[in-house]
């Protein structure tokens, strides 16, 4: 099967890539290194997933067959009691909506289950492909290291390494506590202690996952179950250092989007909030925003303020809005994320609220508070985002695509063209059918370019750091990689080397002035008239990026 190394339909761009292939060896080397990782199906996790699907056990947030979601029982007097009938219809309507929502998710579960069944007891590899920003994706869209939690848990490396040292076990323990989520914002010693304190529960749930459902309480339940099984197997050897571990252990960057903005701007405030500098405890930018929201709610006399305070504002409700800010978050999306969180908490933890059936009014009101709080905490990122959008607008005004070179030499081509719709009549049997066919014009869509420049630049920087980290990690002896853009998965004995490679890669990328280089390429594209309109680059701070190398919580 043939496919392009980079997903792109523009033939001139693909030709340019072919001519400049020698200019970005780190990118192609990184993909080749990742493709050498051999995988197998984690059989115990597969057996649990298989039992859940066959018996409609809704364990670990797994979507079950929507037809098995029961309708509310009909009132005995439904034929004569109009009020009871109306209430039942409303409740039944919610179930039908839930069934419709669950259908596509359950189909995906079944597809992943069948894929996994094909690969039981054999090794396999993933081919990878880049998108136009350099982001690396496995070609398999379902069962992959970048898929849903239950799919990732089905995968482990075929070849492992001995646990060998206490340091490797510490890495393993910290990862397990992180998957559970109870102590993921605490010091590493507290996370390790959590594993020791809960050892009996961990082993029990690994032995009887269908009856002892402790693993279902985790933030990432199936991945945590896979970790529990590996822990149990290690414990069964009496923690023999020769035990071969094959489970990928992930380290996640602390809001990588804001980390990139802080690094570009050398922003001391943003750098501290996103753990670019060393600290005894991890700084939690989501929690900082949540505290600001609570302060504003306490100052408000609006009745909704008390309702939200009674409901409880925490880092979870602020996480998605803050996380998505670097990717051109809008207030519309912010409100939707808040509502999604309230609905999710109700389903997952039965967290009740007093906002009634229509959440729109309450979440719309809170959005204004959250939005102001985010802008109060994250100042530097807003400045640089405005600069990027203003420059992109200038480029688009000349009907030019936004094209630049990544820090690793990869040409990036961002084109968003307006579309036009044409009505087509065709005959089908005795009927005339009218269809709408959409096609791209040759005019750049200025609005889309402005909206997409921030996320695309950040994703490109994520991919540059990842590619360079993989190459550096390989040089340090790491030969198994499970990667999700800003999450780095390796064996626990390799975790320290991966940590070193990542931090060195990040500092290497930003040893050059990334923002100035991007701005220079943009300015060179413009006419003399628009060059005079080119906005000044925001003033930089004095953050010492070498501190990243000694920051434990930069990515953990």
């Amino acid at each position: 099967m043939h496919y392009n190394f980079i997903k792109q339909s523009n033939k001139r761009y693909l030709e340019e890539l072919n001519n400049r292939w020698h200019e970005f060896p780190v990118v192609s080397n990184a993909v080749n290194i990742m493709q050498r990782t051999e995988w197998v199906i984690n059989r115990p996790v597969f057996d649990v997933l298989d039992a859940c699907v066959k018996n409609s056990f809704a364990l670990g947030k797994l979507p079950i067959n929507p037809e098995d979601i029961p309708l509310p029982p009909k009132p005995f007097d439904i034929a004569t009691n109009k009020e009871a009938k109306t209430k039942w219809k409303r409740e039944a309507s919610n179930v039908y909506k839930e069934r419709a929502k669950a259908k596509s998710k359950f189909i995906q579960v079944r597809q992943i289950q069948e894929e996994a069944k094909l690969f039981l007891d054999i090794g396999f590899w993933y081919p990878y492909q880049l998108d136009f920003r350099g982001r690396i994706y496995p070609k398999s869209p379902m069962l992959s290291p970048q898929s849903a939690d239950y799919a990732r848990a089905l995968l482990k490396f075929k070849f492992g390494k001995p646990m060998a040292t206490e340091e490797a076990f510490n890495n393993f323990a910290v990862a397990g506590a992180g998957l559970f989520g109870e102590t993921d914002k605490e010091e590493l010693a507290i996370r390790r202690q959590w594993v020791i304190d809960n050892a009996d529960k961990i082993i029990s749930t690994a032995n009887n996952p269908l009856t002892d459902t402790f693993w279902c309480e985790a933030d990432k339940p199936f991945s945590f179950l896979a970790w529990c099984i590996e822990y149990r197997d290690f414990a069964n050897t009496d923690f023999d250092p020769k035990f071969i571990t094959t489970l990928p252990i992930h380290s996640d960057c602390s809001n990588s989007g804001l980390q990139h903005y802080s690094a570009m701007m050398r922003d001391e405030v943003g750098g501290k909030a996103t753990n670019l500098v060393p600290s005894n405890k991890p700084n939690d930018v989501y929690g900082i925003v949540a505290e600001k929201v609570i302060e504003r709610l306490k100052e408000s006399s609006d009745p909704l303020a008390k309702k939200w305070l009674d409901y409880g504002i925490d880092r979870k409700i602020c996480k998605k809005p803050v996380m998505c800010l670097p990717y051109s978050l809008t207030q519309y999306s912010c409100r939707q994320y808040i509502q999604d969180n309230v609905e999710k908490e109700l389903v997952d933890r039965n967290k009740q609220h007093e906002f009634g059936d229509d959440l729109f009014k309450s979440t719309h009101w809170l959005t204004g508070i959250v939005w102001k709080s985010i802008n109060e905490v994250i100042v530097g990122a807003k400045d640089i985002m405005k600069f990027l959008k203003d420059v992109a607008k200038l480029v688009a005004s000349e009907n030019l695509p936004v094209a630049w070179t990544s820090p690793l030499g990869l040409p990036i081509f961002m084109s968003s063209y307006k579309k036009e719709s044409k009505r087509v009549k065709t005959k089908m049997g005795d009927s005339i059918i009218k269809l709408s066919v959409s096609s791209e014009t040759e005019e750049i869509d200025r609005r889309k370019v402005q909206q997409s420049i921030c996320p695309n630049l950040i994703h490109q920087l994520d991919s540059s750091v990842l590619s360079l980290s993989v190459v550096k990690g390989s040089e340090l002896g790491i030969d198994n990689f499970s990667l999700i853009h800003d999450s780095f998965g390796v064996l626990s004995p390799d975790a320290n080397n991966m940590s070193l490679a990542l931090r060195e890669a990040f500092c290497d990328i930003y040893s050059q002035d990334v923002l100035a280089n991007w701005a220079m390429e943009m300015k060179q594209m413009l006419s003399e008239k628009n060059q005079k309109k080119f906005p000044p680059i925001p003033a930089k701070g004095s953050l010492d990026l070498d501190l990243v190398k000694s920051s434990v919580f930069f990515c953990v």
Side-chain angles (χ1 to χ4, degrees):
M1 178 181 178
H2 169 79
Y3 57 88
N4 292 327
F5 181 65
I6 295 181
K7 288 184 281 186
Q8 178 61 261
S9 58
N10 188 296
K11 290 184 179 179
R12 279 184 287 184
Y13 172 66
L14 291 172
E15 186 178 344
E16 182 181 359
L17 283 173
N18 192 47
N19 293 333
R20 296 174 61 181
W21 184 261
H22 62 284
E23 295 180 12
F24 45 93
V26 171
V27 178
S28 52
N29 286 348
V31 172
N32 284 330
I33 290 166
M34 290 171 64
Q35 290 181 153
R36 289 201 289 265
T37 298
E38 189 171 359
W39 302 80
V40 290
I41 299 298
N42 193 330
R43 187 60 183 256
V45 177
F46 174 83
D47 290 340
V48 173
L49 178 77
D50 193 51
C52 288
V53 171
K54 286 178 179 176
N55 298 286
S56 283
F57 295 154
L59 298 180
K61 304 173 189 174
L62 186 73
I64 62 170
N65 189 334
E67 298 304 316
D68 291 335
I69 301 174
L71 286 167
K74 287 185 179 181
F76 69 94
D77 58 348
I78 192 169
T80 57
N81 188 332
K82 188 176 180 181
E83 187 178 334
K85 183 179 181 179
T86 302
K87 184 183 176 185
W88 180 85
K89 279 188 172 182
R90 189 183 299 116
E91 292 173 351
S93 175
N94 290 335
V95 172
Y96 285 123
K97 286 178 184 176
E98 189 180 349
R99 284 181 177 180
K101 202 173 177 181
K103 187 173 182 180
S104 61
K105 292 181 180 179
F106 181 68
I107 291 171
Q108 180 176 308
V109 172
R110 290 287 292 114
Q111 286 178 318
I112 288 171
Q113 181 193 19
E114 291 303 315
E115 276 187 44
K117 196 179 292 184
L118 292 173
F119 291 102
L120 285 175
D121 305 319
I122 61 170
F124 55 93
W125 295 261
Y126 282 101
Y128 287 87
Q129 187 178 31
L130 276 62
D131 69 6
F132 75 94
R133 303 160 300 191
R135 266 195 155 192
I136 304 172
Y137 296 88
K139 281 297 291 178
S140 170
M142 293 292 177
L143 178 64
S144 87
Q146 295 181 8
S147 192
D149 169 60
Y150 61 85
R152 295 198 303 272
L154 288 169
L155 300 169
K156 64 178 183 176
F157 300 135
K158 182 173 182 179
F159 298 105
K161 290 183 178 179
M163 192 68 80
T165 65
E166 185 177 349
E167 203 169 36
F169 175 71
N170 286 341
N171 295 331
F172 181 78
V174 166
L179 289 170
F180 191 83
E182 190 175 296
T183 59
D184 59 336
K185 294 303 165 191
E186 300 293 341
E187 298 171 39
L188 300 188
I190 293 175
R191 303 185 204 187
R192 290 191 289 266
Q193 188 61 43
W194 181 90
V195 171
I196 294 168
D197 294 343
N198 289 277
D200 290 342
K201 287 183 179 180
I202 291 165
I203 292 171
S204 175
T205 201
N207 287 333
N208 305 289
L210 296 177
T211 52
D212 185 342
T213 56
F214 171 65
W215 62 275
C216 296
E217 299 171 24
D219 285 351
K220 297 176 182 175
F222 275 91
S223 293
F224 180 68
L225 173 61
W227 180 89
C228 289
I229 291 167
E230 188 88 346
Y231 179 89
R232 182 224 28 217
D233 292 345
F234 186 32
N236 286 345
T237 67
D238 198 22
F239 299 103
D240 187 345
K242 295 177 183 176
F243 172 79
I244 302 296
T245 178
T246 55
L247 194 71
I249 295 303
H250 278 262
S251 299
D252 298 330
C253 285
S254 179
N255 194 320
S256 66
L258 291 177
Q259 285 179 333
H260 285 299
Y261 284 134
S262 300
M264 275 190 278
M265 295 289 290
R266 300 297 193 271
D267 177 15
E268 302 97 322
V269 176
K272 183 179 179 182
T274 56
N275 297 298
L276 293 185
V277 297
S279 60
N280 294 327
K281 287 186 70 173
N283 286 292
D284 181 16
V285 67
Y286 313 127
I288 294 170
V289 171
E291 288 171 8
K292 290 284 183 185
V293 173
I294 292 170
E295 284 176 20
R296 289 178 177 273
L297 290 176
K298 287 179 178 177
E299 293 168 0
S300 174
S301 58
D302 194 297
L304 279 172
K306 185 178 185 308
K307 286 187 178 182
W308 278 112
L309 287 170
D310 290 343
Y311 175 77
I313 300 294
D314 57 13
R315 66 184 303 275
K316 287 186 177 180
I317 203 166
C318 298
K319 183 175 182 179
K320 198 71 180 285
V322 176
M323 186 188 297
C324 294
L325 177 76
Y327 310 103
S328 295
L329 176 78
T330 62
Q331 288 200 53
Y332 174 85
S333 300
C334 183
R335 189 211 67 80
Q336 188 60 56
Y337 291 145
I338 293 171
Q339 179 168 329
D340 290 345
N341 180 267
V342 172
E343 292 173 342
K344 185 175 183 293
E345 290 290 287
L346 182 62
V347 172
D348 293 350
R349 295 168 49 199
N350 195 30
K351 187 176 180 180
Q352 301 296 320
H353 60 76
E354 299 176 7
F355 307 123
D357 294 333
D358 183 10
L359 274 172
F360 182 88
K361 180 182 176 182
S362 302
T363 53
H364 178 71
W365 183 85
L366 184 65
T367 296
I369 306 289
V370 173
W371 192 258
K372 288 177 184 176
S373 301
I374 290 174
N375 289 331
E376 200 174 306
V377 173
I378 303 163
V379 180
K382 298 292 288 185
D383 292 340
I384 194 171
M385 288 170 69
K386 184 180 184 305
F387 171 76
L388 294 173
K389 289 178 180 180
D390 289 345
V391 173
K393 183 180 179 181
L394 277 178
V395 175
S397 70
E398 297 195 15
N399 205 42
L400 293 171
V402 179
W404 70 95
T405 307
S406 84
L408 299 182
L410 179 70
I412 309 296
F413 182 83
M414 191 187 98
S415 58
S416 299
Y417 293 99
K418 286 185 176 180
K419 293 186 177 181
E420 62 180 8
S421 186
K422 293 181 179 179
R423 297 281 286 176
V424 178
K425 290 183 182 180
T426 185
K427 194 171 183 181
M428 188 175 290
D430 295 329
S431 303
I432 298 294
I433 306 296
K434 294 181 181 180
L435 303 171
S436 291
V437 179
S438 182
S439 61
E440 281 189 349
T441 67
E442 294 184 357
E443 184 181 357
I444 294 286
D445 190 325
R446 300 183 191 186
R447 184 180 62 82
K448 282 188 178 178
V449 167
Q450 276 190 283
Q451 287 178 336
S452 57
I453 182 58
C454 294
N456 285 335
L457 180 62
I458 293 301
H459 288 322
Q460 175 257 295
L461 291 168
D462 261 346
S463 69
S464 295
V465 171
L466 182 143
S467 296
L468 188 54
S469 299
V470 168
V471 172
K472 286 180 174 289
S474 178
E475 291 170 355
L476 292 173
I478 304 173
D479 44 23
N480 288 304
F481 293 91
S482 174
L483 303 164
I484 317 173
H485 311 314
D486 62 350
S487 179
F488 301 80
V490 294
L491 293 166
S492 54
D494 288 331
N496 287 350
N497 280 338
M498 189 69 242
S499 174
L500 176 64
L502 167 61
R503 285 157 176 77
E504 286 187 353
F506 189 87
C507 291
D508 284 358
I509 292 294
Y510 284 104
S511 63
Q512 52 189 296
D513 195 330
V514 169
L515 185 60
N517 291 346
W518 180 86
M520 181 182 67
E521 289 194 78
M522 294 301 104
K523 194 169 185 177
Q524 288 173 346
M525 296 169 63
L526 297 174
S527 63
E528 188 176 339
K529 176 185 174 183
N530 277 330
Q531 283 184 358
K532 292 177 181 177
K533 297 179 183 177
F534 203 86
I537 296 176
K540 289 184 172 62
S542 57
L543 175 66
D544 180 5
L545 277 184
D546 277 342
L547 293 172
V548 168
K549 294 179 181 177
S550 54
S551 175
V552 172
F553 300 108
F554 165 70
C555 185
V556 67

